[in-house]
Amino acid sequence: MKAALEQFFAQETDDPLRYAFQRRGAHMPGSAGEAVLEEEHQLVWQEIQQSKRSGMAVMYLHVPFCANHCLFCGFYRNKWHEEHSAPYADALIKELELEASSKASQSSPINAVYFGGGTPTALHAKDLARVIRRIRELYPLSADCEITVEGRIFHFDDDKIDACLDAGANRFSTGVQSFNTKVRKRQGRKASGSEAIRFFEGLRDRNRAAIVCDLILGLPYQTEEVWRDDLRTVVDLGLDGVDLYTLAVFPGSTLSKAIDKGACDPAAPLPQQGAMYGEGLEYMHRQGWKQISSSHWGRQTRERNLYNTLIKSGADCLAFGSGAGGNINGYSYGIHGGIVDYMRCLEEGEKPLSRLHRTDPLSSPLNFLAAGIEEMRLDLGRLERIEPGAGGFRNSINPLLSNWQRTGLIAGEEIISLTTAGRFWHQTLLTYLKAAFKLHSASLQPETKTYQEEAA
Ligand SMILES: C[S@@+](CC[C@H](N)C(=O)[O-])C[C@H]1O[C@@H](n2cnc3c(N)ncnc32)[C@H](O)[C@@H]1O
Ligand code: SF4
């Protein structure tokens, strides 16, 4: 085990923010577990629906349409046309109605609802409103339920904002990426920087919801000066929350091809991204904002970031909409990404499942690790107390923890906290911790004997 851990060691450096690793860890999906046969999907789904749910839970609705494909983004699926709005809202409502009365839906409150995409704010005002209203009529939302609508500035007009608020949305998460017009336009963002500022002022002045925006650091043409302006603008606008995401340039993505062709300047290299993250963290701290997760900050208590926190900790997630994924009562599932298949299943009165898996027993400890890294505070002693398979994990990864401590990524003995550098590299630390946990649990499995050994 000790030798195997060395592949996860950070480089010995006195500047871990810039140089701890040579690449960022890829996001590792949790273990999928055993697949349910396709012909049994609907039968097993009915059984899942008839069992009670417990614990905190969230609801996710996916709207897989965008007006255009922004260069940096890997979430684009379908081109938006105005005539998609009413039929897609009808389909979401039908899907919501299909399972609304089941035990799984009704047995315990839902603490957060999230409309994600794609671009939920592409839907027409009246369609957004009727979907939100139908959720509130049909599902047991907690009294303080966070209801977030994600979207972009383009297409998000006053009528839509007011329709969402009147229907019950209490949080908007809007991707801005940068307020600099050149940086925005080169990534395919349609609104200018000043239009973005005016949009947020209008939303803020209504004072009826938590306003959150996403910034990306390391975009082409985003100099350090531009980055400082971006941070300052969020604070000066008095928004409630901000995500500071580090740009990932996926191989084969539109951005990577544009850079390779010389049509776009390269993204900031990793050491520069680390420095930009460090600057962002310090700036938000000086302005009195609270860091809620490795990439999220809130100004005051109005911003709770509840959906993201719960989803990272593995809470049950009731999912709706083409391309969405959820997990409930010990199963994880995906919904057809093809709009035609999605609509056809709903017309036949079926949940449009594209996959259904029994949750892997390892998913619970792996979720614990993910939640701890997300909260920047990991209590491995508690993991060992609550997860039967996790006994001895802390001891078995001692050499790795010592390396991360020595190289300035983590601090603390009993409870591990992430330093500024650890927060920047959080995805890498999580990828490696999960891999180390899998190695540890494999080392605890009794070796399978061959037939001859059994017979002897
Ligand atoms: C699911 S996307 C939806 C955003 C919304 N449709 C918009 O256009 O602003 C949510 C966020 O993911 C982030 N994101 C997308 N691609 C990214 C990438 N390659 N690297 C870092 N962050 C990315 C962006 O900040 C984006 O706002
Ligand atoms: S950033 Fe938003 S609008 Fe642009 S492609 Fe991604 S999901 Fe679509």
Side-chain angles (χ1 to χ4, degrees), residues 131-152:
V131 179
I132 299 171
R133 286 218 171 84
R134 201 68 185 125
I135 293 171
R136 295 180 63 215
E137 283 161 9
L138 294 174
Y139 284 81
L141 304 193
S142 62
D144 62 348
C145 187
E146 177 188 270
I147 304 180
T148 306
V149 180
E150 180 186 80
R152 65 190 280 185

Side-chain angles (χ1 to χ4, degrees), residues 277 290-295 309 312-313 365-383 385-386 394 401 404 409-420 422-423 426 429-430 433:
Y277 177 86
K290 183 171 176 238
Q291 188 166 11
I292 300 175
S293 77
S294 302
S295 55
T309 306
K312 294 268 166 52
S313 69
L366 294 181
N367 285 337
F368 184 96
L369 295 175
I373 292 290
E374 179 71 8
E375 288 164 22
M376 306 162 297
R377 179 188 180 281
L378 184 59
D379 184 350
L380 288 176
R382 184 170 144 75
L383 172 69
R385 285 195 298 280
I386 61 173
R394 195 185 197 297
L401 297 179
W404 288 357
L409 293 166
I410 59 173
E413 289 299 327
E414 290 305 310
I415 294 171
I416 293 162
S417 61
L418 303 194
T419 61
T420 298
R423 293 171 194 200
H426 69 275
L429 299 190
L430 178 60
L433 264 183

Side-chain angles (χ1 to χ4, degrees), residues 24 114 150 173 177 213-218 227 243-248 277 295-297 308 312:
R24 298 179 75 214
Y114 195 95
E150 180 186 80
S173 173
Q177 326 311 350
C213 88
D214 298 339
L215 289 182
I216 296 184
L217 63 88
W227 176 235
D243 276 294
L244 306 185
Y245 291 128
T246 302
L247 178 67
Y277 177 86
S295 55
H296 193 83
W297 281 257
N308 290 312
K312 294 268 166 52

Side-chain angles (χ1 to χ4, degrees), residues 31-37 40 44 330-332 356-361:
S31 311
E34 185 198 343
V36 174
L37 293 176
E40 292 173 9
V44 176
Y331 287 82
S332 71
L356 184 60
H357 283 86
R358 290 183 182 84
T359 311
D360 188 281

